[in-house]
């Protein structure tokens, strides 16, 4: 809600700084510039977008390291997703994209070479359905943590008789798997660290469509930043001096300064505020804002990508190159298909010659790992746990799935457009029901296990890691992470690679949101004891207490952490940036409203 107009600021020529070029900062700056204000955006990094980060590896391949989907507000709905609307306006996506559907997963037990049997599939399905129902049933005035409500749901599941005693250990593993997935969805370190009320208050925008962007989410940020007059990259703010009779000043770590500012909109992450608010603001922030920063949480959600080499393509190209003299291989397409094959080096998205196995990303294959639970541990090795399971680094057990293909991988230059985008390429396969006797029962349709073993055809895989496991993964070297991941096919023998791929020829790409000093976390959420009032306190403008600007907002805060309903989203961040700019414009108005 926009605050009532405050007294106008002292000057007709207003200089405003926006700290951060994520979606909140870009929205704020754009709104102010459209109102003919003088705006400077200071970005500590060297790109716009914040936690919307698309890593371009080559002309054919890009990876979505951060935000992946537009969550609602798509198509014919009353409330539009503003980031999506910009993407549509730029021609980056159709105005009515087909929403993403969830893919079924092959649930795997350590050491097992066969799929789950019918009884095991039923137990997993009942377990996931019970979790989903429990989360959906949390009321908006709920007390306690999400884990408190889930513990009740677990006991109700056991009492229902839907999970036989002989399948209870498997159900525990599936419950633990769903915990990791919930952490990835909500950005929380664990459901025991998440306010149940905060979970219930989060809402999706109307329409319920989840759509990825073929060009990557950073593309919209680049578009918005390109429309602004003054965006300065590499300007890492060290101190904001405010509250005196004169204007506000900003000092950056390289010694650069901005002086005589009328107002500053701060859009840095909650993680940065937690780590730096004591030194970033002079004088210190008011006590209620500091308390809100302390009470709210930010979790770590990382993506780990594996880029496998397709040796079958390399063999084909070697043969083609040997058969064609170099001078002919350099000729254009008029020389024929053989010359083209020799002239163009094989990339990760390249397709093999006709007649070989298909290698395009035409299906999503997801493996779900049912690790032994920590609470089953006995003498250091969990009950039913293979000895090799106890020898892997603890963070690896935070890898709850490995998925080949999907919207995080952007492949271009192939027939069919961009694979894995918002239906710019081929989407996930249809879900499969695990057993005939479950046809009439309501289940968590998003996560129904599939029985059939499917071989991947995508040469890029992604794993999501959260919480303490993510931070431990970030601390490990690339070689240590790769060596750990190479143990997965030994632990889970059903894991298959696409044709021509090998664990010996794979590249690692990963995010490090938890330790990146410009972010120190991925998504914000309400922690135990947090309330919507904390979000409101974080978002509340700080007004000058002296001088000509007394009572006027001079420090304003925006970002995904400042929106209760859309916390943790791009559109939530954008909306808060636009809103804070409007609050400031109201104060800038000579009429005061």
């Amino acid at each position: 809600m926009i605050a009532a107009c405050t007294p106008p600021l002292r000057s007709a020529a207003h200089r405003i700084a926006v700290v951060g070029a994520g979606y909140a900062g870009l929205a704020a700056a754009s709104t102010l510039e459209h109102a003919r204000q003088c705006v400077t955006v200071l970005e500590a990094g060297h790109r716009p977008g914040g936690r919307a980060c698309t890593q371009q590896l080559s002309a054919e391949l890009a990876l979505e390291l951060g935000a992946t989907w537009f969550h609602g507000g798509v198509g014919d709905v009353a409330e539009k997703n503003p980031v999506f609307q910009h993407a549509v306006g730029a021609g980056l996506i159709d105005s009515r994209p087909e929403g993403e559907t969830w893919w079924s997963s092959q649930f795997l037990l350590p050491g097992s070479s066969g799929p789950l049997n019918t009884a095991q599939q039923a137990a997993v399905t009942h377990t996931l359905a019970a979790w989903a129902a429990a989360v959906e049933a949390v009321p908006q005035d709920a007390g306690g943590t999400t884990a408190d409500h889930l513990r009740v749901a677990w006991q109700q599941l056991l009492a229902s008789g839907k999970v036989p005693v002989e399948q209870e250990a498997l159900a525990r593993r599936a419950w633990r798997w769903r915990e990791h997935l919930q952490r990835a969805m909500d950005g929380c370190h664990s459901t025991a660290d998440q306010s149940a009320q905060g979970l219930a208050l989060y809402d999706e925008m109307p329409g319920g469509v989840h759509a990825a962007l073929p060009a990557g989410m950073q593309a919209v940020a680049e578009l918005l930043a390109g429309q602004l007059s003054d965006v300065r990259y590499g300007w890492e703010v060290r101190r904001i001096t405010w509250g005196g009779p004169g204007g506000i000043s900003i000092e950056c770590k390289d010694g650069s300064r901005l002086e005589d500012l009328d107002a500053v909109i701060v859009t840095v992450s909650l993680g940065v505020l937690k780590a730096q608010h004591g030194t970033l603001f002079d004088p210190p922030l008011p006590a209620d804002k500091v308390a809100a920063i302390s009470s709210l949480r930010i979790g770590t959600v990382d993506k780990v990508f594996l880029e496998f080499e397709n040796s079958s393509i390399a063999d084909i190209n070697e043969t083609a190159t040997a058969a064609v003299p170099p001078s002919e291989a350099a000729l254009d397409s008029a020389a024929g298909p053989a010359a083209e094959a020799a002239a163009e080096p094989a990339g990760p998205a390249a397709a093999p010659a006709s007649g070989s196995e298909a290698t395009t990303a035409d299906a999503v294959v997801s493996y779900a790992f049912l690790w032994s639970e920590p609470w089953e541990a006995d003498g250091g090795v969990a009950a039913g746990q293979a000895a090799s399971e106890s020898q892997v680094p603890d963070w690896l057990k935070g890898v709850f799935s490995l998925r080949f293909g999907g919207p995080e991988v952007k492949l271009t230059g192939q027939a069919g457009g961009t694979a894995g985008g918002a239906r710019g390429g081929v989407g996930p396969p249809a879900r499969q029901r695990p057993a005939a006797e479950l046809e009439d029962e309501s289940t968590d349709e998003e996560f129904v296990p599939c029985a059939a073993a499917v071989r991947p055809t995508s040469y890029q895989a992604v794993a999501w890691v959260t919480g303490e496991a993510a931070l431990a993964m970030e601390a490990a070297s690339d070689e240590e992470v790769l060596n750990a991941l190479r143990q997965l096919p030994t632990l889970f023998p059903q894991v298959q690679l696409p044709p021509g791929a090998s664990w010996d020829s794979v590249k690692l790409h990963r995010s490090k949101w938890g330790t990146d000093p410009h972010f120190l976390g991925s998504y914000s959420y309400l922690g135990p004891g947090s309330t919507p009032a904390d979000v409101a306190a974080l978002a509340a403008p700080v007004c000058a207490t002296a001088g000509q600007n007394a009572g006027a907002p001079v420090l304003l805060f925006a970002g995904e952490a400042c929106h209760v309903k859309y916390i943790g989203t791009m559109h939530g961040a954008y909306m808060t940036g636009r809103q804070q700019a409007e609050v400031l414009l109201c104060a800038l108005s000579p009429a005061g409203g």
Side-chain angles (χ1 to χ4, degrees), residues 17-20 24 240 264-268 273 280-281 555-559 562:
V18 175
V19 181
I240 301 172
V264 177
I265 299 181
V266 180
T267 71
V268 299
L273 286 176
L280 186 59
F281 299 97
L555 284 181
L556 300 95
F557 293 80
C562 295

Side-chain angles (χ1 to χ4, degrees), residues 270-279 293 520:
L270 178 62
V272 170
L273 286 176
K274 282 179 173 289
Q276 299 181 17
H277 73 81
T279 58
I293 292 171
L520 299 176

Side-chain angles (χ1 to χ4, degrees), residues 145 188-189 192-198 270-271 273-275 277 286-299 523-538 561 567:
T145 67
C188 60
H189 261 48
D193 189 51
Q194 180 187 42
S195 160
Q197 183 185 33
L270 178 62
L273 286 176
K274 282 179 173 289
H277 73 81
D288 60 342
K289 190 170 291 289
V290 173
I293 292 171
S294 176
S295 179
L296 295 172
R297 299 283 197 268
I298 185 166
Y523 308 124
S524 303
Y525 61 99
L526 274 65
S530 299
T531 70
D534 293 310
V535 178
L538 177 63
I567 194 168

Side-chain angles (χ1 to χ4, degrees), residues 20-22 41-50 52-54 218 221-222 225 231-236 254 513 516-519:
V41 179
L42 304 180
E43 167 56 45
H46 298 280
R47 60 168 184 83
C53 176
T54 307
Q218 187 177 315
E222 292 171 350
V231 180
R232 305 183 188 184
Y233 297 105
W235 283 54
E236 186 172 355
D254 66 356
W513 297 114
D516 187 321
H518 297 161
F519 301 100

Side-chain angles (χ1 to χ4, degrees), residues 308-309 482 486 497 501-507:
F308 289 92
E309 179 183 331
L482 270 176
R486 286 181 176 124
L497 297 182
S502 166
W503 284 97
D504 295 327
S505 299
V506 59
K507 296 178 182 177

Side-chain angles (χ1 to χ4, degrees), residues 2-82:
I2 298 176
C5 281
T6 50
L9 292 170
R10 60 185 170 87
S11 172
H14 305 291
R15 297 187 64 219
I16 304 161
V18 175
V19 181
Y23 278 111
L26 295 172
S30 178
T31 302
L32 291 167
E33 278 208 357
H34 286 165
R36 301 183 183 278
Q37 302 301 318
C38 180
V39 183
T40 299
V41 179
L42 304 180
E43 167 56 45
H46 298 280
R47 60 168 184 83
R51 284 159 279 176
C53 176
T54 307
Q55 183 180 18
Q56 194 75 42
L57 299 180
S58 68
E60 297 84 16
L61 177 63
L63 304 175
E64 204 77 289
L65 294 181
T68 304
W69 291 277
F70 297 113
H71 296 291
V74 174
D76 293 329
V77 292
E79 186 180 15
K80 304 288 188 181
N81 186 317

Side-chain angles (χ1 to χ4, degrees), residues 74-136:
V74 174
D76 293 329
V77 292
E79 186 180 15
K80 304 288 188 181
N81 186 317
V83 183
F84 174 77
Q85 290 300 109
H86 282 294
V88 171
L92 296 175
I93 193 170
D94 186 79
S95 62
R96 296 184 179 182
E98 185 178 348
E100 196 75 57
T101 57
W102 289 93
W103 38 83
S104 53
S105 294
Q106 301 175 50
F107 281 77
L108 310 181
L109 286 166
S112 174
S113 58
L116 300 182
N117 61 37
T118 300
Q120 290 173 323
Q121 289 181 65
V124 170
T125 301
H126 287 308
T127 301
L128 301 183
W131 182 292
V135 168
E136 185 67 25

Side-chain angles (χ1 to χ4, degrees), residues 307-316 352 356-359 455-459 496-506:
E307 181 188 357
F308 289 92
E309 179 183 331
N310 185 350
S311 63
S312 62
I313 293 179
D315 292 343
I316 290 169
S356 64
E357 287 191 86
T359 59
R455 187 174 193 180
T457 54
S458 170
Y459 287 80
Q496 301 182 66
L497 297 182
S502 166
W503 284 97
D504 295 327
S505 299
V506 59

